[in-house]
Amino acid sequence: MPKTFTVEVDSLSDIARLATSMASYAIVMPIYRCFESDLVYYFIQTTYRDYYKYYGIPIIYYFRSKPTEDEQRYKYVLLKVDESGEKVELSDRSRPGWAAVPIINLKSKPPFMP
């Protein structure tokens, strides 16, 4: 039985959507970030209680990309959905009217990440 599952998603927006969807359950789901070589990783951890034989095994959803020059200064991933569509931004502060998910910086990439 694996200790964790890792699932790569297509965009940071996917990570933001999943993290903010948990707010309705009163669950704070931070987004973790680490830098390695020439990549930045953003990820969240979920654990499903009713996933048959995988009960309780952490599932790590992650997105990796080339970092921008000032990416390390951002502290939040912001998400806003309105009549014009969905907007996801990195920011150094929260904003009214936006869901703000805190970014937790890790010193190194965890061993379970690919």
Side-chain angles (χ1 to χ4, degrees), residues 3-15:
K3 292 184 181 181
T4 62
F5 283 113
T6 56
V7 179
E8 187 169 13
V9 298
D10 194 46
S11 68
L12 183 58
S13 297
D14 294 323
I15 298 288

Side-chain angles (χ1 to χ4, degrees), residues 19-72:
T20 57
S21 71
M22 299 309 286
S24 63
Y25 298 105
I27 297 172
V28 175
M29 184 176 285
I31 296 175
Y32 299 96
R33 175 176 58 197
C34 59
F35 295 86
E36 184 182 73
S37 303
D38 62 341
L39 294 173
V40 59
Y41 289 78
Y42 289 91
F43 65 96
I44 58 174
Q45 175 190 327
T46 63
T47 303
Y48 298 108
R49 297 178 309 195
D50 55 357
Y51 194 56
Y52 304 103
K53 67 181 182 177
Y54 299 113
Y55 174 85
I57 295 175
I59 300 173
I60 310 298
Y61 294 92
Y62 71 95
F63 171 69
R64 61 182 163 189
S65 66
K66 300 260 186 218
T68 62
E69 189 174 305
D70 55 350
E71 189 138 3
Q72 205 153 18

